[in-house]
mmCIF file of all heavy atoms in Angstrom:
data_model
loop_
_atom_site.group_PDB
_atom_site.id
_atom_site.type_symbol
_atom_site.label_atom_id
_atom_site.label_comp_id
_atom_site.label_asym_id
_atom_site.label_seq_id
_atom_site.Cartn_x
_atom_site.Cartn_y
_atom_site.Cartn_z
ATOM 1 N N TRP A 190 -32.846 -50.858 7.160
ATOM 2 C CA TRP A 190 -31.927 -50.856 6.020
ATOM 3 C C TRP A 190 -30.839 -51.899 6.183
ATOM 4 O O TRP A 190 -30.521 -52.636 5.321
ATOM 5 C CB TRP A 190 -31.374 -49.475 5.803
ATOM 6 C CG TRP A 190 -30.534 -49.335 4.545
ATOM 7 C CD1 TRP A 190 -30.913 -48.880 3.335
ATOM 8 C CD2 TRP A 190 -29.182 -49.723 4.406
ATOM 9 N NE1 TRP A 190 -29.900 -48.923 2.427
ATOM 10 C CE2 TRP A 190 -28.765 -49.472 3.065
ATOM 11 C CE3 TRP A 190 -28.218 -50.250 5.251
ATOM 12 C CZ2 TRP A 190 -27.515 -49.674 2.577
ATOM 13 C CZ3 TRP A 190 -26.937 -50.548 4.771
ATOM 14 C CH2 TRP A 190 -26.561 -50.262 3.453
ATOM 15 N N PHE A 194 -29.900 -55.197 4.065
ATOM 16 C CA PHE A 194 -28.554 -55.302 3.500
ATOM 17 C C PHE A 194 -27.917 -56.660 3.862
ATOM 18 O O PHE A 194 -27.339 -57.284 2.981
ATOM 19 C CB PHE A 194 -27.731 -54.111 3.872
ATOM 20 C CG PHE A 194 -26.361 -54.132 3.249
ATOM 21 C CD1 PHE A 194 -26.109 -53.432 2.032
ATOM 22 C CD2 PHE A 194 -25.233 -54.647 3.883
ATOM 23 C CE1 PHE A 194 -24.848 -53.441 1.448
ATOM 24 C CE2 PHE A 194 -23.961 -54.696 3.363
ATOM 25 C CZ PHE A 194 -23.816 -54.064 2.116
ATOM 26 N N THR A 198 -27.013 -59.391 1.096
ATOM 27 C CA THR A 198 -25.533 -59.649 0.918
ATOM 28 C C THR A 198 -25.180 -61.022 1.457
ATOM 29 O O THR A 198 -24.381 -61.747 0.824
ATOM 30 C CB THR A 198 -24.712 -58.554 1.705
ATOM 31 O OG1 THR A 198 -25.165 -57.290 1.260
ATOM 32 C CG2 THR A 198 -23.251 -58.680 1.357
ATOM 33 N N GLY A 219 -18.466 -62.640 4.474
ATOM 34 C CA GLY A 219 -19.117 -62.222 3.276
ATOM 35 C C GLY A 219 -19.900 -60.940 3.414
ATOM 36 O O GLY A 219 -19.860 -60.037 2.563
ATOM 37 N N VAL A 220 -20.681 -60.865 4.547
ATOM 38 C CA VAL A 220 -21.379 -59.644 4.834
ATOM 39 C C VAL A 220 -20.488 -58.511 5.132
ATOM 40 O O VAL A 220 -20.699 -57.338 4.731
ATOM 41 C CB VAL A 220 -22.406 -59.901 5.997
ATOM 42 C CG1 VAL A 220 -23.106 -58.615 6.410
ATOM 43 C CG2 VAL A 220 -23.443 -60.949 5.599
ATOM 44 N N ASN A 221 -19.441 -58.797 5.942
ATOM 45 C CA ASN A 221 -18.488 -57.754 6.298
ATOM 46 C C ASN A 221 -17.809 -57.154 4.981
ATOM 47 O O ASN A 221 -17.689 -55.944 4.942
ATOM 48 C CB ASN A 221 -17.399 -58.324 7.201
ATOM 49 C CG ASN A 221 -17.825 -58.363 8.663
ATOM 50 O OD1 ASN A 221 -18.671 -57.581 9.078
ATOM 51 N ND2 ASN A 221 -17.208 -59.256 9.384
ATOM 52 N N TYR A 222 -17.508 -57.970 4.073
ATOM 53 C CA TYR A 222 -16.904 -57.453 2.827
ATOM 54 C C TYR A 222 -17.969 -56.580 2.050
ATOM 55 O O TYR A 222 -17.632 -55.661 1.349
ATOM 56 C CB TYR A 222 -16.363 -58.536 1.965
ATOM 57 C CG TYR A 222 -14.888 -58.736 2.248
ATOM 58 C CD1 TYR A 222 -14.401 -59.650 3.140
ATOM 59 C CD2 TYR A 222 -13.931 -57.936 1.527
ATOM 60 C CE1 TYR A 222 -13.051 -59.773 3.389
ATOM 61 C CE2 TYR A 222 -12.556 -58.087 1.781
ATOM 62 C CZ TYR A 222 -12.130 -58.961 2.692
ATOM 63 O OH TYR A 222 -10.782 -59.126 2.937
ATOM 64 N N GLY A 223 -19.221 -56.941 2.223
ATOM 65 C CA GLY A 223 -20.303 -56.131 1.671
ATOM 66 C C GLY A 223 -20.297 -54.773 2.324
ATOM 67 O O GLY A 223 -20.426 -53.696 1.628
ATOM 68 N N LEU A 224 -20.241 -54.754 3.650
ATOM 69 C CA LEU A 224 -20.130 -53.473 4.395
ATOM 70 C C LEU A 224 -18.946 -52.695 4.003
ATOM 71 O O LEU A 224 -18.980 -51.483 3.919
ATOM 72 C CB LEU A 224 -20.174 -53.736 5.916
ATOM 73 C CG LEU A 224 -21.435 -54.427 6.491
ATOM 74 C CD1 LEU A 224 -21.246 -54.773 7.918
ATOM 75 C CD2 LEU A 224 -22.645 -53.506 6.310
ATOM 76 N N ILE A 225 -17.801 -53.386 3.817
ATOM 77 C CA ILE A 225 -16.575 -52.753 3.464
ATOM 78 C C ILE A 225 -16.739 -52.053 2.102
ATOM 79 O O ILE A 225 -16.356 -50.889 1.929
ATOM 80 C CB ILE A 225 -15.409 -53.743 3.467
ATOM 81 C CG1 ILE A 225 -15.079 -54.151 4.881
ATOM 82 C CG2 ILE A 225 -14.169 -53.180 2.742
ATOM 83 C CD1 ILE A 225 -14.133 -55.407 4.939
ATOM 84 N N GLY A 226 -17.204 -52.813 1.113
ATOM 85 C CA GLY A 226 -17.451 -52.217 -0.207
ATOM 86 C C GLY A 226 -18.400 -51.026 -0.214
ATOM 87 O O GLY A 226 -18.193 -50.085 -0.862
ATOM 88 N N TYR A 227 -19.439 -51.176 0.585
ATOM 89 C CA TYR A 227 -20.472 -50.110 0.647
ATOM 90 C C TYR A 227 -19.824 -48.848 1.264
ATOM 91 O O TYR A 227 -19.965 -47.760 0.704
ATOM 92 C CB TYR A 227 -21.621 -50.570 1.481
ATOM 93 C CG TYR A 227 -22.707 -49.546 1.623
ATOM 94 C CD1 TYR A 227 -23.691 -49.321 0.641
ATOM 95 C CD2 TYR A 227 -22.802 -48.704 2.764
ATOM 96 C CE1 TYR A 227 -24.690 -48.419 0.785
ATOM 97 C CE2 TYR A 227 -23.775 -47.719 2.895
ATOM 98 C CZ TYR A 227 -24.679 -47.590 1.902
ATOM 99 O OH TYR A 227 -25.694 -46.642 1.985
ATOM 100 N N ALA A 228 -19.132 -49.030 2.355
ATOM 101 C CA ALA A 228 -18.527 -47.820 3.033
ATOM 102 C C ALA A 228 -17.406 -47.249 2.164
ATOM 103 O O ALA A 228 -17.266 -46.024 2.126
ATOM 104 C CB ALA A 228 -17.905 -48.288 4.367
ATOM 105 N N TRP A 229 -16.695 -48.021 1.481
ATOM 106 C CA TRP A 229 -15.600 -47.506 0.601
ATOM 107 C C TRP A 229 -16.187 -46.627 -0.503
ATOM 108 O O TRP A 229 -15.727 -45.533 -0.745
ATOM 109 C CB TRP A 229 -14.852 -48.668 -0.015
ATOM 110 C CG TRP A 229 -13.696 -48.316 -0.916
ATOM 111 C CD1 TRP A 229 -12.701 -47.462 -0.637
ATOM 112 C CD2 TRP A 229 -13.559 -48.753 -2.253
ATOM 113 N NE1 TRP A 229 -11.856 -47.314 -1.734
ATOM 114 C CE2 TRP A 229 -12.401 -48.099 -2.762
ATOM 115 C CE3 TRP A 229 -14.208 -49.629 -3.090
ATOM 116 C CZ2 TRP A 229 -11.901 -48.271 -4.053
ATOM 117 C CZ3 TRP A 229 -13.695 -49.837 -4.354
ATOM 118 C CH2 TRP A 229 -12.563 -49.222 -4.755
ATOM 119 N N ILE A 230 -17.213 -47.188 -1.245
ATOM 120 C CA ILE A 230 -17.775 -46.392 -2.304
ATOM 121 C C ILE A 230 -18.566 -45.159 -1.815
ATOM 122 O O ILE A 230 -18.429 -44.071 -2.361
ATOM 123 C CB ILE A 230 -18.803 -47.256 -3.151
ATOM 124 C CG1 ILE A 230 -17.941 -48.405 -3.854
ATOM 125 C CG2 ILE A 230 -19.480 -46.422 -4.160
ATOM 126 C CD1 ILE A 230 -16.932 -47.925 -4.760
ATOM 127 N N MET A 231 -19.221 -45.236 -0.651
ATOM 128 C CA MET A 231 -19.886 -44.137 -0.104
ATOM 129 C C MET A 231 -18.920 -42.998 0.288
ATOM 130 O O MET A 231 -19.172 -41.818 0.066
ATOM 131 C CB MET A 231 -20.769 -44.533 1.060
ATOM 132 C CG MET A 231 -21.971 -45.390 0.775
ATOM 133 S SD MET A 231 -23.160 -44.493 -0.264
ATOM 134 C CE MET A 231 -23.768 -43.301 0.850
ATOM 135 N N GLY A 232 -17.824 -43.422 0.858
ATOM 136 C CA GLY A 232 -16.805 -42.467 1.256
ATOM 137 C C GLY A 232 -16.211 -41.688 0.134
ATOM 138 O O GLY A 232 -15.795 -40.531 0.219
ATOM 139 N N ARG A 233 -16.121 -42.367 -1.040
ATOM 140 C CA ARG A 233 -15.597 -41.715 -2.236
ATOM 141 C C ARG A 233 -16.590 -40.910 -2.991
ATOM 142 O O ARG A 233 -16.275 -39.827 -3.558
ATOM 143 C CB ARG A 233 -14.946 -42.800 -3.174
ATOM 144 C CG ARG A 233 -13.752 -43.506 -2.576
ATOM 145 C CD ARG A 233 -13.237 -44.594 -3.482
ATOM 146 N NE ARG A 233 -12.711 -44.072 -4.742
ATOM 147 C CZ ARG A 233 -11.472 -43.663 -4.840
ATOM 148 N NH1 ARG A 233 -10.590 -43.803 -3.839
ATOM 149 N NH2 ARG A 233 -10.998 -43.195 -6.028
ATOM 150 N N ARG A 234 -17.794 -41.409 -3.112
ATOM 151 C CA ARG A 234 -18.842 -40.735 -3.981
ATOM 152 C C ARG A 234 -19.754 -39.799 -3.189
ATOM 153 O O ARG A 234 -20.329 -38.906 -3.721
ATOM 154 C CB ARG A 234 -19.657 -41.759 -4.689
ATOM 155 C CG ARG A 234 -18.901 -42.516 -5.765
ATOM 156 C CD ARG A 234 -19.690 -43.615 -6.370
ATOM 157 N NE ARG A 234 -20.981 -43.167 -6.976
ATOM 158 C CZ ARG A 234 -21.071 -42.811 -8.260
ATOM 159 N NH1 ARG A 234 -20.056 -42.836 -9.147
ATOM 160 N NH2 ARG A 234 -22.230 -42.425 -8.744
ATOM 161 N N LEU A 242 -14.636 -45.375 4.926
ATOM 162 C CA LEU A 242 -13.713 -46.443 5.298
ATOM 163 C C LEU A 242 -12.360 -45.835 5.410
ATOM 164 O O LEU A 242 -11.851 -45.146 4.504
ATOM 165 C CB LEU A 242 -13.704 -47.576 4.278
ATOM 166 C CG LEU A 242 -12.964 -48.872 4.625
ATOM 167 C CD1 LEU A 242 -13.671 -49.591 5.798
ATOM 168 C CD2 LEU A 242 -12.884 -49.802 3.480
ATOM 169 N N HIS A 274 -16.400 -63.539 -0.041
ATOM 170 C CA HIS A 274 -15.748 -62.213 0.133
ATOM 171 C C HIS A 274 -15.933 -61.407 -1.146
ATOM 172 O O HIS A 274 -16.371 -60.218 -1.100
ATOM 173 C CB HIS A 274 -14.273 -62.360 0.389
ATOM 174 C CG HIS A 274 -13.917 -63.003 1.693
ATOM 175 N ND1 HIS A 274 -12.598 -63.376 2.017
ATOM 176 C CD2 HIS A 274 -14.725 -63.456 2.684
ATOM 177 C CE1 HIS A 274 -12.623 -63.931 3.218
ATOM 178 N NE2 HIS A 274 -13.871 -63.983 3.629
ATOM 179 N N GLY A 275 -15.668 -62.002 -2.304
ATOM 180 C CA GLY A 275 -15.747 -61.232 -3.545
ATOM 181 C C GLY A 275 -17.138 -60.819 -3.903
ATOM 182 O O GLY A 275 -17.363 -59.637 -4.263
ATOM 183 N N VAL A 276 -18.093 -61.729 -3.760
ATOM 184 C CA VAL A 276 -19.474 -61.384 -4.109
ATOM 185 C C VAL A 276 -20.045 -60.398 -3.087
ATOM 186 O O VAL A 276 -20.723 -59.421 -3.469
ATOM 187 C CB VAL A 276 -20.331 -62.629 -4.148
ATOM 188 C CG1 VAL A 276 -21.814 -62.332 -4.277
ATOM 189 C CG2 VAL A 276 -19.907 -63.522 -5.325
ATOM 190 N N GLY A 277 -19.735 -60.590 -1.826
ATOM 191 C CA GLY A 277 -20.195 -59.634 -0.816
ATOM 192 C C GLY A 277 -19.695 -58.225 -1.100
ATOM 193 O O GLY A 277 -20.416 -57.199 -1.031
ATOM 194 N N PHE A 278 -18.405 -58.178 -1.444
ATOM 195 C CA PHE A 278 -17.748 -56.880 -1.717
ATOM 196 C C PHE A 278 -18.434 -56.256 -2.936
ATOM 197 O O PHE A 278 -18.695 -55.018 -2.982
ATOM 198 C CB PHE A 278 -16.293 -57.077 -1.998
ATOM 199 C CG PHE A 278 -15.472 -55.807 -2.220
ATOM 200 C CD1 PHE A 278 -15.208 -54.980 -1.159
ATOM 201 C CD2 PHE A 278 -15.111 -55.491 -3.519
ATOM 202 C CE1 PHE A 278 -14.467 -53.808 -1.420
ATOM 203 C CE2 PHE A 278 -14.315 -54.292 -3.706
ATOM 204 C CZ PHE A 278 -14.080 -53.478 -2.675
ATOM 205 N N ALA A 279 -18.660 -57.032 -3.985
ATOM 206 C CA ALA A 279 -19.268 -56.523 -5.234
ATOM 207 C C ALA A 279 -20.695 -55.966 -4.953
ATOM 208 O O ALA A 279 -21.097 -54.950 -5.449
ATOM 209 C CB ALA A 279 -19.314 -57.599 -6.286
ATOM 210 N N VAL A 280 -21.449 -56.771 -4.202
ATOM 211 C CA VAL A 280 -22.808 -56.306 -3.846
ATOM 212 C C VAL A 280 -22.816 -54.990 -3.057
ATOM 213 O O VAL A 280 -23.509 -54.013 -3.368
ATOM 214 C CB VAL A 280 -23.574 -57.377 -2.983
ATOM 215 C CG1 VAL A 280 -24.848 -56.843 -2.451
ATOM 216 C CG2 VAL A 280 -23.806 -58.593 -3.858
ATOM 217 N N GLY A 281 -21.880 -54.819 -2.098
ATOM 218 C CA GLY A 281 -21.775 -53.597 -1.344
ATOM 219 C C GLY A 281 -21.368 -52.414 -2.205
ATOM 220 O O GLY A 281 -21.960 -51.323 -2.088
ATOM 221 N N CYS A 282 -20.392 -52.648 -3.061
ATOM 222 C CA CYS A 282 -19.969 -51.555 -3.992
ATOM 223 C C CYS A 282 -21.078 -51.130 -4.892
ATOM 224 O O CYS A 282 -21.337 -49.949 -5.090
ATOM 225 C CB CYS A 282 -18.793 -52.008 -4.848
ATOM 226 S SG CYS A 282 -17.238 -52.186 -3.859
ATOM 227 N N PHE A 283 -21.755 -52.061 -5.478
ATOM 228 C CA PHE A 283 -22.892 -51.752 -6.385
ATOM 229 C C PHE A 283 -23.983 -51.082 -5.712
ATOM 230 O O PHE A 283 -24.565 -50.134 -6.202
ATOM 231 C CB PHE A 283 -23.373 -53.046 -7.096
ATOM 232 C CG PHE A 283 -24.556 -52.786 -8.044
ATOM 233 C CD1 PHE A 283 -24.324 -52.225 -9.276
ATOM 234 C CD2 PHE A 283 -25.852 -53.019 -7.628
ATOM 235 C CE1 PHE A 283 -25.397 -51.929 -10.146
ATOM 236 C CE2 PHE A 283 -26.884 -52.737 -8.476
ATOM 237 C CZ PHE A 283 -26.679 -52.230 -9.727
ATOM 238 N N TRP A 284 -24.272 -51.538 -4.534
ATOM 239 C CA TRP A 284 -25.412 -50.921 -3.766
ATOM 240 C C TRP A 284 -25.112 -49.455 -3.500
ATOM 241 O O TRP A 284 -25.941 -48.590 -3.647
ATOM 242 C CB TRP A 284 -25.535 -51.675 -2.410
ATOM 243 C CG TRP A 284 -26.787 -51.450 -1.613
ATOM 244 C CD1 TRP A 284 -27.441 -50.210 -1.348
ATOM 245 C CD2 TRP A 284 -27.660 -52.414 -1.083
ATOM 246 N NE1 TRP A 284 -28.549 -50.413 -0.672
ATOM 247 C CE2 TRP A 284 -28.743 -51.750 -0.455
ATOM 248 C CE3 TRP A 284 -27.641 -53.820 -1.042
ATOM 249 C CZ2 TRP A 284 -29.749 -52.445 0.214
ATOM 250 C CZ3 TRP A 284 -28.634 -54.459 -0.365
ATOM 251 C CH2 TRP A 284 -29.721 -53.848 0.233
ATOM 252 N N ALA A 285 -23.843 -49.143 -3.026
ATOM 253 C CA ALA A 285 -23.447 -47.762 -2.768
ATOM 254 C C ALA A 285 -23.492 -46.920 -4.042
ATOM 255 O O ALA A 285 -23.860 -45.768 -4.034
ATOM 256 C CB ALA A 285 -22.099 -47.714 -2.123
ATOM 257 N N TRP A 286 -22.950 -47.526 -5.150
ATOM 258 C CA TRP A 286 -22.932 -46.796 -6.388
ATOM 259 C C TRP A 286 -24.352 -46.476 -6.835
ATOM 260 O O TRP A 286 -24.697 -45.316 -7.268
ATOM 261 C CB TRP A 286 -22.309 -47.646 -7.457
ATOM 262 C CG TRP A 286 -22.303 -47.040 -8.810
ATOM 263 C CD1 TRP A 286 -21.405 -46.136 -9.309
ATOM 264 C CD2 TRP A 286 -23.335 -47.230 -9.850
ATOM 265 N NE1 TRP A 286 -21.743 -45.726 -10.622
ATOM 266 C CE2 TRP A 286 -22.956 -46.389 -10.964
ATOM 267 C CE3 TRP A 286 -24.476 -47.959 -9.915
ATOM 268 C CZ2 TRP A 286 -23.627 -46.337 -12.080
ATOM 269 C CZ3 TRP A 286 -25.220 -47.967 -11.094
ATOM 270 C CH2 TRP A 286 -24.816 -47.085 -12.172
ATOM 271 N N ALA A 287 -25.304 -47.417 -6.681
ATOM 272 C CA ALA A 287 -26.712 -47.149 -7.124
ATOM 273 C C ALA A 287 -27.323 -46.067 -6.249
ATOM 274 O O ALA A 287 -28.088 -45.198 -6.744
ATOM 275 C CB ALA A 287 -27.504 -48.478 -6.976
ATOM 276 N N GLU A 288 -27.073 -46.098 -4.966
ATOM 277 C CA GLU A 288 -27.657 -45.105 -4.066
ATOM 278 C C GLU A 288 -27.105 -43.674 -4.420
ATOM 279 O O GLU A 288 -27.891 -42.750 -4.510
ATOM 280 C CB GLU A 288 -27.300 -45.377 -2.579
ATOM 281 C CG GLU A 288 -28.149 -46.436 -2.009
ATOM 282 C CD GLU A 288 -27.941 -46.530 -0.493
ATOM 283 O OE1 GLU A 288 -27.148 -45.773 0.070
ATOM 284 O OE2 GLU A 288 -28.540 -47.450 0.145
ATOM 285 N N THR A 289 -25.823 -43.566 -4.647
ATOM 286 C CA THR A 289 -25.271 -42.277 -4.926
ATOM 287 C C THR A 289 -25.578 -41.792 -6.362
ATOM 288 O O THR A 289 -25.689 -40.584 -6.580
ATOM 289 C CB THR A 289 -23.677 -42.290 -4.817
ATOM 290 O OG1 THR A 289 -23.177 -43.392 -5.556
ATOM 291 C CG2 THR A 289 -23.339 -42.560 -3.296
ATOM 292 N N GLU A 290 -25.789 -42.732 -7.278
ATOM 293 C CA GLU A 290 -26.100 -42.364 -8.660
ATOM 294 C C GLU A 290 -27.505 -41.707 -8.677
ATOM 295 O O GLU A 290 -27.722 -40.798 -9.435
ATOM 296 C CB GLU A 290 -26.036 -43.613 -9.553
ATOM 297 C CG GLU A 290 -26.089 -43.313 -10.995
ATOM 298 C CD GLU A 290 -24.848 -42.577 -11.498
ATOM 299 O OE1 GLU A 290 -23.817 -42.633 -10.818
ATOM 300 O OE2 GLU A 290 -24.916 -41.940 -12.556
#
Side-chain angles (χ1 to χ4, degrees):
W190 185 98
F194 182 89
T198 308
V220 175
N221 277 335
Y222 266 91
L224 296 173
I225 290 167
Y227 180 82
W229 179 54
I230 296 299
M231 290 297 291
R233 294 177 66 87
R234 290 173 61 90
L242 190 68
H274 296 173
V276 170
F278 184 75
V280 170
C282 288
F283 177 78
W284 196 311
W286 177 86
E288 282 189 3
T289 54
E290 193 67 19

